[in-house]
Amino acid sequence: MSPLLHEDEPYEDLLGLWSDLEAALSLLLSQPQRIAGFAGKLQQLDRWLQDLIAHDTDAALYLMFQRAASSTVGYSASHALVCASLCHVLAQALRLDRGERQILVLAALTMNIGMNALQDLLAEQREPLSSTQAQAVQQHPRDSRALLQQLHVTDALWLAVVEHHHAPQPSAPLASLAPQQRLVRILGTVDRYAALISPRKTRAGRSAAESLQILRQHGQPPDEVQQALTEVTGLYPPGTYVQLDSGDIAVVLRRGPRPDEPQMASVIDRDGRSLYPPVMHLDTHLHGRRPKVQSALARSAITLELDPRAMAQLGVHCARSSQSLYRMVKVPGSP
């Protein structure tokens, strides 16, 4: 265990950066035909996201999972940003070339552009889909492609991945698939995973561990994409919550040497009281025996209002290892 840092302004700046990314994407997706140079602006946003992830992947994942549970923008933009972030990380793990990585991320950002407003509405809707809504959901991949073509997107692979992002793909090794099949399979897995962890009016978001389990059908072992997703996020990704064998509830800060051994900090004690300052649990070989993770928790399981000072300090710890990340906050998109 170790004491926490006391400066929270850098983390507030990082949250602001992520909020700016969400707001910029929300504007692009909700009013694309009013924005000149849509594709160029989307690629600029992609570069901004790349910088955030490349500087410190753990800090980016922490921000992403924290914001996914409390985003103030529409669900469609939030979901697209989560998918694009995961695609960035997965592209490295799956060794996609630069061209395929870029198309995968751009497709993640735009796959639902044809039903942006409807997706926001459905996230807040408690009633079953109407027949009109169901038809719009079914045809949204084609609508998204058509809208992108109207916005002067001409890349054939980008358009094809968007149009077919819900289509079943062969279970053959990724390297043996055509580029379209490979990218659709990766994006389809990420899309389902991000939908499972995100809350809606009709249900709470699931934990990351439960979401990974649901992705595996009929108890089958994970395929390449699911296995890579487990490896790059961990069973307990940064920014998510876990129940410890000590009785505490902790937030995950960074990935550990194994998927089930993250760095974390207790934020609620065994008696249900908020901890301030939080109690850090870092590497065992540095700090002796630490509590073990008993189970993953969905954000909805945290009914106590967490101390904002504590969460800010934890964010500082999560990102402190990268001073260049702090500098980037001041000049987004800088090299």
Side-chain angles (χ1 to χ4, degrees), residues 95-173:
R95 299 181 181 180
L96 298 186
D97 64 38
R98 183 177 178 181
E100 287 193 9
R101 181 213 58 79
Q102 183 177 34
I103 293 301
L104 177 64
V105 174
L106 292 174
L109 291 171
T110 57
M111 60 184 169
N112 297 325
I113 193 171
M115 66 165 191
N116 181 77
L118 176 60
Q119 194 174 28
D120 287 346
L121 176 65
L122 294 178
E124 299 292 325
Q125 182 174 303
R126 295 183 183 276
E127 301 79 18
L129 273 68
S130 68
S131 58
T132 302
Q133 290 174 332
Q135 183 178 4
V137 169
Q138 184 176 10
Q139 70 183 31
H140 85 268
R142 295 188 299 275
D143 291 344
S144 293
R145 176 188 175 120
L147 180 53
L148 288 173
Q149 288 177 306
Q150 293 175 27
L151 296 168
H152 309 294
V153 172
T154 58
D155 188 283
L157 184 56
W158 179 359
L159 294 171
V161 173
V162 166
E163 182 177 7
H164 299 286
H165 71 271
H166 282 310
Q169 299 301 312
S171 58

Side-chain angles (χ1 to χ4, degrees), residues 18 21-23 25-27 29-30 64 67-84 86 108-113 115-125 137 140 165-166 189-206 211:
W18 196 264
L21 278 168
E22 286 184 323
L25 180 59
S26 180
L27 181 63
L29 295 180
S30 62
M64 185 196 77
R67 290 293 298 167
S70 60
S71 176
T72 56
V73 304
Y75 174 83
S76 187
S78 177
H79 178 77
L81 191 55
V82 168
C83 289
L86 291 172
L109 291 171
T110 57
M111 60 184 169
N112 297 325
I113 193 171
M115 66 165 191
N116 181 77
L118 176 60
Q119 194 174 28
D120 287 346
L121 176 65
L122 294 178
E124 299 292 325
Q125 182 174 303
V137 169
H140 85 268
H165 71 271
H166 282 310
T189 299
V190 168
D191 187 20
R192 292 193 299 276
Y193 175 79
L196 287 167
I197 66 173
S198 300
R200 309 243 178 77
K201 284 295 183 184
T202 54
R203 64 160 176 83
R206 295 177 172 87
S211 298

